[in-house]
Amino acid sequence: MKRYIKAAISILTLTTGAISCSDRDIIRQLDDVGSYINEYPDSALSVLDSLYTTGMQGREANAQFALLYSMALDKSYIDATDDSLINIAVDWYRKHGTADERLKSYYYQGRVYQNSGDNEAAMGSFVRAEAASGNEKNETKGLLYTAMSGIYIQIFDFVKAELYNNRAKECYLLAGDTDKYAGTILFSSDLHYAQEESSEAIACLDSVKILLDSISTSRRNAYYIRSMRIKRDLGDRSGLSDELNQYLSSTGAENISWLDVADYHTYLGQYDKSESALQRYREFHPEYKDKPAYHIAAYTLNDSLGDYRSALDDYISYSLLSDSLSLAIAEQDTGFIQERYEKDLQMEKERNTRLLVTLVSVFSVILLSCIADILRLRLRQSRREKESLAAEMSRYKENYSRLKQERDELSEMLSSNPPADRQCMRVLNDRLELLNRFFAAAISGNEETDRIASHELDRLVADRDMFLYTTRMTFAAAHPDFISYLESQGLTEHEIEYCCLYAIGLKGKEIGQYIKRACHYNESSDIRAKLGLGKHDTNLSNYLRDLLAQDLAVH
């Protein structure tokens, strides 16, 4: 990586030496490289490297070279982390060149920041790129929106991720890039599936299926892997088997994801085929012993075969490799960055506009207009505040009713049938005491008591492990049949806690945000399977609440 950057910087800092052609000649050569850089980035990088022996004059030529070299590195999957090269292009195209060149310079600057792990700086560059490019839609604009969508999905902002993915989809469609267009549809499928919207996810995959003959091998692989994953999670064994056979027959052996194939064969009980798939993986990847994914696939197969010694060895290898690869990544809340940079850009535009405003204007008209706007704004604000207050009161009453019901059920249960287990008794007493304190504060109107009770409730909810545990214990005491049924279906304690969150009224997306895991939909799929829910049955939330209602009706 350093060799590429040093070579490029050396070219741009040469002020003396042999010059084989004029500045215009260099620009013509660079224009020629730009004409094929998207299709043949390796060749473009080779030609640009050959310019190492050639000096260049003029900031325009230097800027164009810096931009093309950064593009060639990125398209050749060489991750540049030093921004000194691309900044040469940014500095020039900020005030010169076309809107598309400005867009590209800021976009590839953002890509460098992404490579170095600085998503905040990357988002700043991307916002500038969007502002500089105008309203035109092209492939580069699609790449920009795809990158922005990728940052939002890292911070679990599904709404913004979907918004920018849809914008990228529109750009690729207008640009006629079928492969990248299919990629955005696959991303939409993942977003829907992550939010337990299985039918929408399948609809997206169906849209990609009709494009399979015109997209790249990597995209076809992605389609089959996602399609087979959904069929497995929904328990569609026949559909999975058909899709797996289609995948194997239509894809070259060197391009097949053999570990996924092994997992699906294991799931279908085709252990000999699973072993063959692992063997093919070992053939294509001699370093397989260093791959955690291989060991977990081998563990699953050996465990299914009852070869527990080999399964244990693979699991230990997987654990050791996973621990060695773990990195401590600080959380970056970049959600606010876009708004901040947009405001900065807007302020800069307003400063420029004020320079053109004439001092001779009709002051009275401006004043009256401002007064009218302020009055309208205050009226709209007042309406919004009333609507917000009404919605908040409605939520408060609903939560108050739920807490009161829990308090009454706990009081009755503890007085009539107290648990024998001391730890359980202590947990339930603590929960009841907290609820009583909350209602005492609400009845008495004592602000100090209300503040203390609210603080303790917030602290309980903030401690996710304790809140999940006490919620499960409360349900076990107040609704034993409900918990017993879940246990009888083979649900683990963690899965039962997950079900309790549904039972108290949370939605799947809210649960995912609370437990801080983007893959919570996998847990929902496992729970659905254990409860015998098929892909066309009611959603998990409604099923659990109906089950709880039946328990309440009996008691």
Side-chain angles (χ1 to χ4, degrees), residues 71-91:
M71 292 173 61
L73 289 175
D74 189 73
K75 293 179 181 295
S76 300
Y77 304 102
I78 301 173
D79 294 338
T81 57
D82 185 344
D83 63 354
S84 56
L85 177 62
I86 188 59
N87 284 346
I88 296 173
V90 170
D91 291 341

Side-chain angles (χ1 to χ4, degrees), residues 308-516:
Y308 301 120
R309 178 177 295 276
S310 297
L312 178 60
D313 290 341
D314 283 311
Y315 188 79
I316 292 174
S317 298
Y318 165 76
S319 299
L320 292 174
L321 289 171
S322 296
D323 290 342
S324 67
L325 295 174
S326 296
L327 299 175
I329 302 175
E331 290 187 4
Q332 294 186 17
D333 187 359
T334 61
F336 70 95
I337 297 301
Q338 179 180 4
E339 181 180 353
R340 192 185 78 191
Y341 278 98
E342 286 174 344
K343 287 182 178 178
D344 290 342
L345 292 170
Q346 184 62 31
M347 289 174 63
E348 183 178 351
K349 291 179 181 178
E350 289 174 355
R351 285 194 297 268
N352 294 333
T353 302
R354 281 196 295 269
L355 294 176
L356 303 175
V357 175
T358 177
L359 296 177
V360 184
S361 59
V362 185
F363 179 78
S364 58
V365 174
I366 296 176
L367 181 60
L368 290 173
S369 299
C370 290
I371 293 174
D373 288 339
I374 290 173
L375 290 175
R376 286 195 296 269
L377 179 61
R378 287 183 176 177
L379 181 59
R380 287 197 296 269
Q381 184 177 0
S382 176
R383 289 173 181 165
R384 286 197 297 268
E385 288 176 352
K386 289 180 180 179
E387 293 171 356
S388 177
L389 180 60
E392 184 64 26
M393 286 299 296
S394 176
R395 287 193 295 271
Y396 178 83
K397 291 178 180 179
E398 181 180 356
N399 291 335
Y400 186 94
S401 176
R402 287 179 182 171
L403 290 175
K404 186 175 184 300
Q405 180 183 354
E406 181 180 347
R407 193 273 308 269
D408 293 340
E409 289 174 351
L410 278 178
S411 297
E412 180 181 355
M413 189 280 299
L414 288 175
S415 63
S416 61
N417 187 26
D421 182 73
R422 289 187 177 181
Q423 183 180 4
C424 180
M425 188 68 179
R426 180 179 59 78
V427 169
L428 298 181
N429 274 324
D430 289 346
R431 186 88 163 213
L432 182 58
E433 180 182 354
L434 179 57
L435 292 173
N436 284 332
R437 187 176 302 171
F438 177 82
F439 286 105
I443 294 171
S444 66
N446 187 319
E447 293 183 358
E448 178 64 14
T449 304
D450 180 73
R451 184 185 64 80
I452 295 173
S454 297
H455 176 72
E456 290 188 15
L457 279 173
D458 291 341
R459 186 174 60 182
L460 174 61
V461 174
D463 187 345
R464 288 192 296 273
D465 292 337
M466 178 56 68
F467 179 74
L468 291 170
Y469 171 73
T470 58
T471 299
R472 175 169 58 82
M473 295 295 289
T474 301
F475 269 78
H479 309 289
D481 291 344
F482 174 76
I483 298 298
S484 295
Y485 176 77
L486 296 180
E487 292 174 342
S488 70
Q489 300 304 305
L491 271 67
T492 64
E493 289 184 355
H494 175 71
E495 290 170 337
I496 292 174
E497 291 171 352
Y498 191 90
C499 291
C500 289
L501 292 180
Y502 270 119
I504 65 174
L506 294 181
K507 298 178 181 178
K509 186 185 300 185
E510 295 168 339
I511 295 174
Q513 293 172 344
Y514 179 65
I515 64 179
K516 301 294 186 185

Side-chain angles (χ1 to χ4, degrees), residues 75 77 177-187 190 205 208 211-228 247 250-257 260:
K75 293 179 181 295
Y77 304 102
D177 193 326
T178 304
D179 191 58
K180 290 186 176 64
Y181 174 69
T184 59
I185 302 178
L186 290 171
F187 187 81
D190 288 340
L205 292 177
V208 176
L211 303 174
L212 288 180
D213 292 336
S214 55
I215 61 179
S216 65
T217 299
S218 62
R219 301 280 190 220
R220 287 198 298 271
N221 252 358
Y223 160 79
Y224 279 112
I225 296 304
R226 285 162 173 78
S227 178
M228 289 187 290
Y247 175 49
S250 63
T251 309
E254 69 281 2
N255 295 316
I256 289 175
S257 179
D260 287 298

